[in-house]
Amino acid sequence: MKGKLLVIGFGPGSFEHITQRAREAIQESDMIIGYKTYVELIQGLLTNQQIISTGMTEEVSRAQEAVKQAEAGKTVAVISSGDAGVYGMAGLVYEVLIEKGWKKETGVELEVIPGISAINSCASLLGAPVMHDACTISLSDHLTPWELIERRIEAAAQADFVVAFYNPKSGRRTRQIVEAQRILLKYRSPDTPVGLVKSAYRDREEVVMTNLKDMLNHEIGMLTTVVVGNSSTFFYDDLMITPRGYQRKYTLNQTEQPLRPHQRLRKEAEPWALDQEETVKQTASAIEAVQNTREEKATSRALAEEALQAILGETTSAVVHQPIQSIFEVAVSPGLANKKFTPVQMTTLAEVVGEKGTMEYTPDHQIKLQIPTAQPDVIIKKLQAASFLLSPVGDVFTIKACDFCDGEKSDAIPHTEELQKRLGGMDMPKELKLGINGCGMACYGAVQEDIGIVYRKGAFDLFLGAKTVGRNAHSGQIVAEGIAADDIVEIVENIIHEYKEKGHPNERFHKFFKRVKNVYGFDYQDITPKIKVEPAPCGD
């Protein structure tokens, strides 16, 4: 039985602005998947649906879980505030499906249900600021390189668009809105009207009218949408108004239009209108002449002028290419047991990372590389030629083995290598680390990982559910001693597959173990230290 995906935009958050179809879709669903705050906003519409809620920046894992549950036959609602197709979940869900080879005719059914986007809801509270050409730009560089965002702001500023900034600022991201203001001030008057709307149509709604030079004097956060007017936007009676752009065609305070609709585009009525072919050509030629005197630059102005010329038929191509640079991420180590880098390996790292990449040592006995490149295969070949062990980065299975006393206590090494061969780099609901120590000293702290195995007296002890971070961190629960060496790989493999299959997105293994109470026959026991610890600000 095929399931169904309902990708729902529920608007700004108030019940009266949720469409009837969105309400019906929520009621039809077996499961609701969404960001915690969004789930809370629609709580009054929920009945007995299963809820999976996750935190900020975890959109990809939500999309993956939704597809997984729909493929298992469930009707799954993936919720977004605003419109699901505007910085929402619709695109990510499609990307996950496409990666799995989904087809409309044979795959799970998918319906995208539109909602009121922030640019619309916020504009209604400000007045009518989006009455002419406008654009939306997200200032979050979580999934988009900041250099590309900068170029888009520059192009929008030059072209005199009304601009709505989404995700302008967060606790960690503070400079982006400052940079956006700096770019806009190059092309806009400091007195350009700006509207700041926080939590539109929600309980803590705030609306502020300000201007471009003073906008940063007011509170701006993740729940704020920043609407910057164009050169003709004005304030009137505490409202922000952008003219429709037809003042050249009829006078606003006249009851009759001086020009009828079919007359407006005549050359004598509007010299700037559609039939001014010769003037347009002369203008394009002038732009081209100026450009030919400059050095070739990949600036936003050059791109915008090229696009204008293409539209006017003065160039051979009508496509503007935005050079988007991919960042290749990979973790490298000398090996599972080997902790010693060679000079050749260090030289190779310096070569492949270059001036623009980064390398960061991690607590997992690996170096994480971030390399701007469009040719990851070339990087991989160079690293493999230097005898590096390569691992993916993110929510994957990782082995943290000891050095087995520089190989002197080697009995557990074959089992370690077999586990790496079978499971290394496997996608998980949340990053999962298996600690392996080659003797009872456990000096590399295997018992402090999500899963730990310690080789002792020719057999393995198994530890599950360590809480690896936080002030109330603790070792794993010992669930078995003396597991035969021939059995350990299969047991660990089954535990990991069970977690992969039943774990919720972003659910750490110790929380999963606590929730399900039994993993592959091993019962959960609460061994959390009985001490009073003030909750951390992140809510962990």
Side-chain angles (χ1 to χ4, degrees):
M1 174 182 170
K2 289 192 297 185
K4 184 175 182 180
L5 286 163
L6 300 168
V7 187
I8 303 169
F10 62 79
S14 56
F15 281 9
E16 56 266 38
H17 292 97
I18 300 176
T19 67
Q20 182 61 32
R21 177 61 192 126
R23 291 169 178 263
E24 292 169 354
I26 290 169
Q27 297 299 318
E28 292 170 15
S29 303
D30 304 315
M31 175 179 289
I32 307 290
I33 295 181
Y35 172 47
K36 294 175 183 176
T37 300
Y38 299 162
V39 173
E40 292 170 3
L41 286 171
I42 64 164
Q43 196 69 43
L45 299 176
L46 302 180
T47 52
N48 59 348
Q49 295 94 338
Q50 182 182 351
I51 307 297
I52 295 181
S53 60
T54 61
M56 191 74 73
T57 76
E58 294 163 20
E59 296 91 342
V60 174
S61 64
R62 290 200 290 271
Q64 291 170 335
E65 182 67 14
V67 170
K68 173 183 169 182
Q69 295 295 340
E71 288 178 336
K74 294 183 179 179
T75 299
V76 183
V78 184
I79 59 171
S80 299
S81 67
D83 184 273
V86 181
Y87 306 122
M89 292 296 296
L92 282 173
V93 171
Y94 272 120
E95 286 183 54
V96 172
L97 287 169
I98 291 168
E99 190 172 291
K100 296 169 75 68
W102 171 84
K103 299 291 182 184
K104 283 196 293 185
E105 295 77 15
T106 57
V108 297
E109 184 180 352
L110 188 147
E111 179 183 357
V112 178
I113 298 158
I116 302 172
S117 188
I119 188 173
N120 306 114
S121 58
C122 294
S124 71
L125 294 170
L126 293 169
V130 191
M131 288 300 296
H132 209 283
D133 295 338
C135 66
T136 60
I137 299 177
S138 172
L139 294 188
S140 171
D141 54 3
H142 173 53
L143 296 175
T144 305
W146 174 247
E147 292 77 16
L148 177 58
I149 297 172
E150 272 187 316
R151 291 201 296 274
R152 289 175 173 168
I153 298 170
E154 186 107 14
Q158 288 179 345
D160 202 29
F161 280 99
V162 174
V163 183
F165 289 116
Y166 286 50
N167 308 313
K169 189 177 179 182
S170 68
R172 295 182 179 179
R173 276 189 309 101
T174 58
R175 69 178 179 87
Q176 285 85 346
I177 189 64
V178 178
E179 286 297 303
Q181 182 203 44
R182 178 187 64 78
I183 295 169
L184 287 166
L185 283 170
K186 290 163 59 179
Y187 307 99
R188 307 275 173 100
S189 164
D191 295 320
T192 299
V194 172
L196 308 176
V197 182
K198 177 183 178 183
S199 301
Y201 295 103
R202 300 181 192 175
D203 291 339
R204 297 183 181 181
E205 174 189 290
E206 293 180 14
V207 179
V208 174
M209 304 288 188
T210 181
N211 57 40
L212 190 55
K213 72 174 185 296
D214 296 330
M215 59 183 273
L216 298 183
N217 296 333
H218 302 276
E219 181 182 352
I220 296 175
M222 276 298 290
L223 299 178
T224 306
T225 301
V226 180
V227 180
V228 181
N230 65 16
S231 57
S232 64
T233 304
F234 62 91
F235 285 131
Y236 177 80
D237 198 18
D238 207 24
L239 294 170
M240 185 175 171
I241 313 293
T242 299
R244 281 189 69 183
Y246 298 130
Q247 279 186 294
R248 291 171 297 197
K249 300 172 185 177
Y250 60 91
T251 303
L252 291 178
N253 58 2
Q254 289 181 332
T255 57
E256 292 182 7
Q257 297 179 21
L259 298 174
R260 294 179 181 176
H262 70 278
Q263 296 174 317
R264 294 185 205 159
L265 297 182
R266 289 182 181 174
K267 188 173 182 178
E268 63 269 25
E270 292 190 359
W272 50 82
L274 298 179
D275 61 353
Q276 55 159 338
E277 185 175 354
E278 190 60 37
T279 305
V280 165
K281 287 183 178 179
Q282 291 172 0
T283 304
S285 298
I287 292 172
E288 186 174 6
V290 172
Q291 282 186 315
N292 289 337
T293 65
R294 299 176 179 172
E295 294 180 1
E296 291 188 7
K297 297 180 180 179
T299 63
S300 297
R301 182 181 291 277
L303 293 171
E305 290 173 347
E306 288 171 13
L308 174 62
Q309 290 181 350
I311 292 169
L312 299 174
E314 297 295 316
T315 61
T316 57
S317 172
V319 179
V320 176
H321 295 283
Q322 288 281 12
I324 301 175
Q325 195 173 49
S326 299
I327 305 296
F328 176 54
E329 288 188 327
V330 65
V332 301
S333 64
L336 290 172
N338 182 16
K339 311 299 179 194
K340 297 175 181 177
F341 291 88
T342 68
V344 170
Q345 288 176 327
M346 299 306 290
T347 302
T348 301
L349 288 181
E351 177 189 343
V352 300
V353 170
E355 293 294 327
K356 296 184 178 181
T358 62
M359 47 181 154
E360 174 188 357
Y361 187 74
T362 73
D364 305 328
H365 316 313
Q366 297 173 326
I367 294 179
K368 177 183 173 182
L369 309 181
Q370 290 187 318
I371 306 170
T373 180
Q375 298 178 303
D377 291 345
V378 175
I379 302 296
I380 291 170
K381 287 179 181 178
K382 289 182 178 180
L383 293 171
Q384 288 176 334
S387 300
F388 277 114
L389 175 65
L390 309 186
S391 302
V393 173
D395 291 333
V396 297
F397 173 79
T398 303
I399 289 179
K400 289 180 63 175
C402 68
D403 64 359
F404 301 95
C405 295
D406 283 334
E408 292 183 9
K409 298 180 179 180
S410 61
D411 291 348
I413 291 178
H415 308 285
T416 304
E417 292 174 339
E418 182 63 22
L419 284 165
Q420 173 67 22
K421 179 181 176 182
R422 294 191 190 188
L423 303 169
M426 181 183 289
D427 288 334
M428 292 286 128
K430 186 68 175 176
E431 59 184 359
L432 179 71
K433 296 181 176 64
L434 169 66
I436 304 178
N437 285 168
C439 71
M441 291 290 292
C443 56
Y444 268 69
V447 301
Q448 315 238 347
E449 303 299 339
D450 300 299
I451 302 173
I453 57 175
V454 177
Y455 188 75
R456 183 176 60 87
K457 297 181 179 180
F460 285 93
D461 298 337
L462 176 63
F463 298 78
L464 297 180
K467 187 176 187 299
T468 60
V469 295
R471 291 173 297 155
N472 58 344
H474 58 77
S475 300
Q477 167 192 338
I478 186 164
V479 295
E481 292 182 287
I483 298 174
D486 290 342
D487 297 333
I488 191 64
V489 170
E490 182 180 350
I491 289 172
V492 171
E493 185 176 22
N494 279 293
I495 291 170
I496 289 169
H497 279 296
E498 187 169 335
Y499 171 55
K500 176 179 173 65
E501 179 66 26
K502 299 179 181 178
H504 290 167
N506 204 45
E507 183 178 36
R508 293 192 179 275
F509 184 79
H510 74 90
K511 292 184 177 180
F512 166 74
F513 193 22
K514 181 178 180 179
R515 176 172 63 84
V516 299
K517 304 302 182 188
N518 182 286
V519 177
Y520 196 60
F522 299 111
D523 292 327
Y524 169 81
Q525 294 180 18
D526 188 358
I527 60 171
T528 305
K530 305 300 180 184
I531 55 175
K532 184 176 181 180
V533 177
E534 182 180 346
C538 63
D540 187 16

